[in-house]
């Protein structure tokens, strides 16, 4: 009788372990998929850059350092392979594109250019998709991290090799920019 009880308890523990393991695998894959979605959007944004650079170079050839910064940020974005690298590259790209789009304010004929206007519209659309993908990734990371810390998963997670995932953040440069919002006075 004791043997049957021990076997029953071991079977229950094994079933719980399998269920927990499968849930954690599913959540981990969800975070990987969410990062892949961000990666797709970042690459789509990077693919917009070459044509926009060609358009702007004709109007603002002397703005070489801004154009160079965009080119370098694009290269880093294309080379990013981890969420942390992608977040850093995304921060650089956002800053470079902000300066890049600001150039248009100095060149009315550039603002009126059909190609540049199309670029701005596409960029705005992609930026919205990137923001949505970031929120989705951070939600998936939050759910995954909470799951590996909850009982009974906490008993199995470390043994199965599940580690907390990192959130997708704006980066230090962008955080400083957001912390120093412009003051408006009338």
């Amino acid at each position: 009788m004791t043997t049957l009880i021990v076997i029953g308890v071991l079977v229950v523990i094994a079933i719980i372990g399998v269920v927990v393991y499968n849930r954690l695998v599913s959540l981990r894959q969800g975070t990987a998929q969410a990062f892949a979605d961000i990666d797709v959007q970042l690459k789509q944004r990077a693919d917009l850059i070459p044509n926009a650079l060609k358009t702007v170079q004709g109007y603002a050839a002397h703005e070489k350092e801004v154009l160079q910064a965009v080119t370098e940020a694009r290269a880093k974005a294309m080379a990013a392979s981890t969420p942390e690298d992608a977040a850093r590259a995304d921060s650089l790209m956002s800053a470079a594109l902000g300066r890049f789009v600001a150039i248009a304010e100095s060149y009315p004929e550039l603002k009126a250019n059909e190609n540049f206007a199309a670029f701005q519209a596409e960029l705005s659309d992609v930026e919205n998709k990137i923001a949505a993908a970031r929120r989705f990734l951070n939600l998936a990371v939050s759910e995954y991290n909470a799951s590996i810390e909850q009982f009974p998963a906490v008993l199995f997670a470390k043994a199965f090799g599940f580690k907390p995932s990192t959130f997708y953040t704006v980066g230090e440069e962008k955080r400083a920019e957001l912390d120093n919002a412009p003051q408006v006075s009338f």
Side-chain angles (χ1 to χ4, degrees):
M1 183 68 159
T2 309
T3 306
L4 287 175
I5 292 173
V6 170
I7 290 173
V9 169
L10 291 176
V11 167
V12 168
I13 291 172
I15 290 172
I16 291 171
V18 168
V19 169
V20 166
Y21 179 81
N22 288 340
R23 176 164 164 64
L24 293 177
V25 166
S26 177
L27 291 171
R28 183 173 57 192
Q29 290 302 327
T31 61
Q33 176 62 42
F35 172 69
D37 290 345
I38 288 177
D39 197 41
V40 166
Q41 297 302 325
L42 294 176
K43 290 197 185 332
Q44 184 179 1
R45 180 175 64 179
D47 289 344
L48 293 173
I49 305 287
N51 289 335
L53 284 174
K54 288 177 189 168
T55 302
V56 172
Q57 283 174 337
Y59 290 95
H62 61 280
E63 303 279 1
K64 284 192 187 284
E65 48 180 75
V66 172
L67 299 176
Q68 183 66 32
V70 171
T71 302
E72 289 173 6
R74 179 182 186 273
K76 288 180 181 174
M78 297 301 287
S81 60
T82 66
E84 293 81 13
D85 290 344
R88 280 191 292 276
D90 179 30
S91 180
L92 289 173
M93 179 70 84
S94 293
L97 283 174
R99 291 189 302 270
F100 180 74
V101 171
I103 289 174
E105 299 302 319
S106 304
Y107 299 92
E109 63 277 0
L110 176 58
K111 282 176 31 177
N113 181 286
E114 194 174 295
N115 290 339
F116 193 75
F119 162 74
Q120 284 186 303
E122 284 185 64
L123 180 62
S124 177
D125 182 51
V126 169
E127 290 294 337
N128 289 334
K129 289 177 182 175
I130 290 170
R134 284 184 196 128
R135 285 190 301 272
F136 184 75
L137 172 63
N138 285 338
L139 181 65
V141 167
S142 177
E143 185 178 0
Y144 169 73
N145 287 348
S147 291
I148 64 174
E149 293 177 8
Q150 293 172 343
F151 185 83
V154 71
L155 302 174
F156 301 99
K158 198 171 198 173
F160 290 145
F162 291 95
K163 297 177 185 157
S165 191
T166 57
F167 289 96
Y168 197 96
T169 60
V170 294
E172 294 305 315
E173 185 176 312
K174 188 74 171 170
R175 185 178 316 281
E177 185 181 308
L178 295 172
D179 288 344
N180 298 317
Q183 299 297 318
V184 178
S185 61
F186 297 98

